[in-house]
Amino acid sequence: MKKNGLIIILLGMLSMLFTLEAAAQNKKNQKETVVFEVSMSCENCKKKIEKNISFEKGVTDLLVDLKTKTVTIQYKTQKTDKAKLKAAIEKLGFKAEEKIKE
């Protein structure tokens, strides 16, 4: 009986470790999306943003829409944040403001 009890306890502990590891992986891969209104005015502006922002640390997806003057960025929260992404756009010479979801 002691062996069975010990095995059950060990299996429970292993199960808990796998659950904690999975939770840590989910947190590590957590993504968010932010939309910025950007002061771009031409196709060259669009290309400049696409070329540079797509390589920012943590960026996983990027959509630059010249017609609406918006830049939509999906990013890993463990790698970057909204403030860093805004600063990266502004470093290129554009004004950027986060578009508030309505």
Side-chain angles (χ1 to χ4, degrees), residues 29-77:
N29 294 324
Q30 193 171 21
K31 294 179 184 178
E32 284 189 18
T33 301
V34 63
V35 179
F36 292 107
E37 292 178 338
V38 179
S39 64
M40 62 182 147
S41 58
C42 64
E43 192 65 33
N44 285 334
C45 296
K46 178 182 176 189
K47 288 177 182 176
K48 185 176 185 179
I49 293 168
E50 288 172 337
K51 180 181 176 185
N52 290 280
I53 303 303
S54 61
F55 292 107
E56 282 293 313
K57 187 175 182 179
V59 172
T60 59
D61 196 20
L62 175 69
L63 175 64
V64 182
D65 188 335
L66 181 58
K67 186 176 180 180
T68 61
K69 297 185 179 194
T70 57
V71 177
T72 305
I73 306 171
Q74 184 180 56
Y75 62 96
K76 292 181 181 179
T77 57

